[in-house]
Amino acid sequence: MYINGKWVETEKMLEVINPANGEVVKQVCLVGKEETNQAIQAAQKAFPLWSGLTGEQRGNYLHKVVARLEEKKEHFAQTITKEMGKAIHHARYEVGSTIAFFKWYAEEARRVYGDIVPASAPNKRISVLKQPIGVVGAITPWNFPLSMAARKLGPALAVGCTVILRPSREAPLSSLELFKVFDEVGLPEGVVNLVIGNSSDIVGELMASDSVRKISFTGSTEVGKKLIRQSADTVKRVSMELGGHAPFIVFEDADIDLAIKGTIASKFASTGQQCVCANRIYVHDSIYDTFAQRLADKVASMVVGDGLDEATQVGPMVNQEAVEKAHDHVTDAAGKGATILCGGQVPTENEYQQGHYYLPTVLADVNEDMKITHEETFGPVAPLIRFRTEAEVVEKANNIEYGLASYVYTNDLSRTHRVSEKLEYGMVGVNDPAPFAVQAPFGGVKESGLGREGGKYGLEDYLETKLVSVAIWD
């Protein structure tokens, strides 16, 4: 662990397993309540110094982080693939995204603006200050272990907050490597702190502490709701990027080749283990059969294997529980009338025996009675659902508690605006399977979250707004 500018070792160890082959990648130290409180105290102590620097000074530190990340890009990519399995091409993309977040916020650090507000009395002057909220607890997932840390640490550090990061136990190694970079560039003691361990110990202490003023969490809706409840006791500010169940709508006027390419990019990146991937693929009845067969042909030819193999398109899933959940959704759908066009099983070749693999799958004739239309699969399974009218598909797309990402494929400009405005989602990609950028807001509505990350929007949740009214007397 990294607490108050020093590496801390404990006797309790965690083995990080490569999901491609079951081998131990590395052992890391685990901490508990005592070390977590030490990290909180270190962050609180460091806050006055760090927040007292100018934005330009803090930005210079982040630029140094960017330079070191650039030098170690391939090392980070291979670390991500070894700890959670995604294909090396996708891991490299994640590293690029990580660098982009730190670079963006290194530049935004000097652009935290306040306001001058016209007063209602001639002898008053009103100004509005934006100041860092304080100590931040950041909790990140295993599926994007590096870029999710950057998306939280970047803006928090830029505006002057200090941070305790708790990464997932499933994939902590890239965070460990990131903190080596923080150490190398000389971030002041206590500004960033790394704690890995049981959620009940670490997160419980973060939530109970009066010193921690903000929690930023990416993970399941179920856990997010618990954290929101716990935050009430100390009235913490919370940012929540929670579960998704993205609709991917293909209208009859869409470019079918483009839509199939987009479906594959959205559904099978990171082996389908991302909250923004296509989970309900609605295809207009007039093109459904053609779309289904052509998609299945493409998916059946995808290369499954160890993520470190340059030829791999679909890597392993994170653990056996994830494999079992994906297969449960497939068997439930098949038992209720769905047709398995390809995949639908664990690969049988010997080289897969020690890993957590599931063949990329396409299901046809999916309906509302199946689990897969209501539950987030988080795996490489693409369910195809027929629709006939625009009103029908919008109603079905919105008829769920989630509201993170959504996708629309059409060549009708009027429909683009009409449907985008009606979809109850925080993000809409039109003919675009990856409508995400460092400068744009990322987040959901309904039970998919609170707040936004990315761009100038990502700064707001780490800032307090303060009114200063000065009365002028002769």
Side-chain angles (χ1 to χ4, degrees):
M1 300 306 97
Y2 189 76
I3 298 173
N4 200 28
K6 296 181 176 57
W7 294 101
V8 178
E9 293 186 0
T10 63
E11 294 181 359
K12 191 174 182 181
M13 305 296 289
L14 169 71
E15 290 185 341
V16 180
I17 306 298
N18 186 336
N21 52 33
E23 296 177 357
V24 176
V25 183
K26 193 172 185 177
Q27 289 187 325
V28 298
C29 296
L30 295 178
V31 298
K33 294 181 180 180
E34 181 182 349
E35 293 86 358
T36 302
N37 278 306
Q38 290 172 4
I40 293 171
Q41 292 167 16
Q44 185 178 22
K45 183 179 179 181
F47 177 68
L49 169 65
W50 184 248
S51 60
L53 297 179
T54 66
E56 185 174 1
Q57 288 172 318
R58 292 192 296 268
N60 287 338
Y61 277 106
L62 294 182
H63 278 301
K64 292 177 183 178
V65 171
V66 169
R68 291 295 289 141
L69 289 172
E70 289 279 7
E71 293 170 4
K72 304 172 73 171
K73 284 191 292 188
E74 186 61 20
H75 170 70
F76 274 97
Q78 294 204 17
T79 300
I80 292 169
T81 295
K82 288 175 183 176
E83 67 180 339
M84 59 76 60
K86 69 174 61 176
I88 190 67
H89 311 292
H90 297 140
R92 288 174 184 142
Y93 179 86
E94 180 176 346
V95 175
S97 176
T98 299
I99 292 171
F101 277 116
F102 279 120
K103 187 175 182 180
W104 176 270
Y105 287 111
E107 296 163 352
E108 285 296 286
R110 67 177 73 193
R111 300 189 184 97
V112 178
Y113 300 127
D115 292 297
I116 299 297
V117 178
S120 54
N123 69 324
K124 286 192 175 185
R125 302 294 182 268
I126 298 175
S127 59
V128 178
L129 307 181
K130 295 284 189 176
Q131 296 181 308
I133 194 168
V135 177
V136 172
I139 306 167
T140 53
W142 53 262
N143 59 336
F144 285 88
L146 189 63
S147 63
M148 293 302 96
R151 202 160 70 186
K152 299 177 190 306
L153 287 162
L157 296 174
V159 302
C161 295
T162 54
V163 184
I164 301 111
L165 175 67
R166 191 268 181 177
S168 168
R169 285 164 53 103
E170 293 283 357
L173 299 182
S174 52
S175 293
L176 195 62
E177 294 301 310
L178 176 61
F179 272 70
K180 289 179 182 178
V181 168
F182 290 149
D183 192 43
E184 290 166 4
V185 304
L187 277 179
E189 292 181 357
V191 171
V192 290
N193 302 273
L194 176 68
V195 287
I196 303 170
N198 293 328
S199 176
S200 58
D201 292 336
I202 294 175
V203 180
E205 292 303 298
L206 293 175
M207 299 307 298
S209 173
D210 290 327
S211 300
V212 178
R213 298 309 311 143
K214 152 87 182 188
I215 293 290
S216 180
F217 171 75
T218 298
S220 71
T221 296
E222 179 185 8
V223 174
K225 288 179 179 179
K226 291 179 181 178
L227 296 181
I228 292 170
R229 293 187 195 103
Q230 292 173 11
S231 72
D233 290 338
T234 52
V235 195
K236 295 188 196 312
R237 189 182 300 182
V238 294
S239 294
M240 296 281 149
E241 197 263 282
L242 307 177
H245 205 287
F248 191 104
I249 304 170
V250 184
F251 285 100
E252 68 274 19
D253 57 44
D255 181 323
I256 292 181
D257 289 333
L258 188 67
I260 289 172
K261 184 178 179 181
T263 301
I264 291 172
S266 175
K267 176 72 260 184
F268 298 104
S270 299
T271 319
Q273 299 174 118
Q274 46 188 17
C275 52
V276 294
C277 73
N279 275 303
R280 294 168 293 151
I281 303 167
Y282 296 99
V283 184
H284 193 271
D285 185 63
S286 64
I287 60 171
Y288 183 94
D289 293 332
T290 299
F291 183 95
Q293 192 56 58
R294 288 171 62 180
L295 176 64
D297 290 343
K298 292 274 190 182
V299 172
S301 67
M302 296 184 78
V303 178
V304 178
D306 188 329
L308 291 176
D309 188 331
E310 295 287 346
T312 294
Q313 295 170 287
V314 179
M317 301 188 73
V318 69
N319 54 35
Q320 189 58 31
E321 183 181 357
V323 173
E324 291 169 1
K325 181 180 180 182
H327 191 58
D328 175 62
H329 280 191
V330 171
T331 53
D332 172 78
K336 294 175 180 175
T339 302
I340 300 174
L341 298 183
C342 67
Q345 63 183 14
V346 175
T348 56
E349 292 84 349
N350 287 335
E351 69 250 39
Y352 297 115
Q353 293 306 305
Q354 301 305 314
H356 306 301
Y357 293 93
Y358 198 76
L359 290 178
T361 301
V362 177
L363 299 176
D365 306 314
V366 172
N367 60 50
E368 300 294 316
D369 297 327
M370 301 169 185
K371 285 184 183 179
I372 202 165
T373 59
H374 304 285
E375 299 177 11
E376 189 177 16
T377 304
F378 232 61
V381 183
L384 306 183
I385 307 167
R386 293 179 187 268
F387 76 91
R388 290 180 173 81
T389 69
E390 181 180 305
E392 171 199 358
V393 76
V394 169
E395 180 182 6
K396 286 183 176 179
N398 288 338
N399 188 29
I400 201 162
E401 66 270 25
Y402 298 108
L404 189 57
S406 57
Y407 307 89
V408 177
Y409 274 71
T410 180
N411 283 321
D412 184 328
L413 182 60
S414 295
R415 174 177 278 157
T416 291
H417 291 288
R418 193 167 57 240
V419 174
S420 295
E421 291 170 8
K422 290 179 180 178
L423 286 171
E424 297 170 356
Y425 291 83
M427 298 172 284
V428 183
V430 180
N431 299 329
D432 182 2
F436 320 111
V438 64
Q439 66 269 32
F442 185 104
V445 300
K446 297 193 287 190
E447 293 188 18
S448 283
L450 300 167
R452 292 295 181 270
E453 294 182 314
K456 64 179 183 179
Y457 314 93
L459 296 174
E460 289 300 319
D461 278 336
Y462 298 96
L463 293 167
E464 294 282 23
T465 301
K466 178 185 287 185
L467 163 68
V468 177
S469 178
V470 179
I472 301 173
W473 302 100
D474 295 331

